[in-house]
Amino acid sequence: MQRREFFSSFSSLLEKNKEEASKGVVYPPYNEDISLFTDECKNCDAKCASACEENIIFIAKDATPYLLFNTSGCTFCDACAEVCEFDVLKVENRHYIQADISISQSACLAWNDTMCFSCKEPCLDNAIIFDGLFKPIIDKDKCTSCGFCISRCPTNAIELTIIRKKNEHI
């Protein structure tokens, strides 16, 4: 193996790791092209994280912002987009968080005959409906993937799956 091939193998491995890591990242709303996160956010001083009223925006080692719903959710207040100097986040690109929220029936207390409304109470959009007193179901037409329900679930039964468009660049 020549020296050039040796270093090329590391480069392709890094690209693969970067792609795999980004599959698990929930980016803030208000973005149109996710490649801008890796291209532009490295030039920024993380104003979006500071502006977030709910403190759910964190900054990764590569300087890209990501959302964590451990304690709260997104109110779509526009603050992160308003302070973005590099147009990665723009108010006019407002959309819901690119993730799908679901409830694990095996982990959910309500699905297992214990009365629990922990996920329903913080849902600002009334997207969690109950079939009787039990069996919470996410109404996909109403759910904005804001994440408020995630931190409230006592059994971590609420799951988040990232949605990536086929043409999105990472």
Side-chain angles (χ1 to χ4, degrees):
M1 179 182 285
Q2 292 182 347
R3 183 179 171 149
R4 182 177 296 218
E5 291 171 341
F6 178 72
F7 286 111
S8 285
S9 68
F10 279 108
S11 175
S12 65
L13 182 62
L14 287 173
E15 283 300 313
K16 182 180 177 187
N17 287 343
K18 178 180 167 185
E19 182 176 282
E20 286 175 2
S22 66
K23 288 178 185 174
V25 174
V26 180
Y27 292 109
Y30 307 101
N31 68 77
E32 188 174 45
D33 180 359
I34 64 171
S35 68
L36 292 176
F37 285 107
T38 53
D39 295 343
E40 298 296 334
C41 291
K42 62 185 171 216
N43 303 315
C44 181
D45 60 354
K47 288 182 179 176
C48 60
S50 301
C52 181
E53 298 170 357
E54 296 296 328
N55 296 314
I56 61 167
I57 300 178
F58 294 85
I59 306 300
K61 289 180 183 177
D62 67 353
T64 58
Y66 64 95
L67 302 179
L68 261 184
F69 301 119
N70 293 345
T71 59
S72 195
C74 182
T75 60
F76 301 98
C77 68
D78 299 344
C80 60
E82 289 170 354
V83 299
C84 183
E85 297 173 350
F86 294 92
D87 291 333
V88 176
L89 305 175
K90 297 181 192 177
V91 175
E92 59 267 18
N93 290 338
R94 184 174 203 238
H95 58 74
Y96 298 134
I97 294 166
Q98 300 300 302
D100 185 39
I101 304 282
S102 60
I103 299 172
S104 168
Q105 293 178 8
S106 62
C108 176
L109 291 174
W111 272 94
N112 290 284
D113 300 329
T114 301
M115 194 165 299
C116 179
F117 295 99
S118 296
C119 61
K120 182 174 180 55
E121 291 167 358
C123 184
L124 304 173
D125 301 301
N126 295 316
I128 300 176
I129 53 177
F130 277 72
D131 184 11
L133 290 176
F134 303 103
K135 301 180 183 171
I137 301 165
I138 308 263
D139 183 340
K140 303 291 183 185
D141 292 330
K142 291 182 180 178
C143 183
T144 61
S145 301
C146 69
F148 276 105
C149 59
I150 295 171
S151 66
R152 302 311 196 299
C153 180
T155 61
N156 297 315
I158 308 214
E159 300 169 343
L160 182 133
T161 306
I162 290 125
I163 300 169
R164 295 280 188 245
K165 297 174 192 164
K166 290 181 182 178
N167 61 351
E168 274 186 326
H169 300 289
I170 297 175

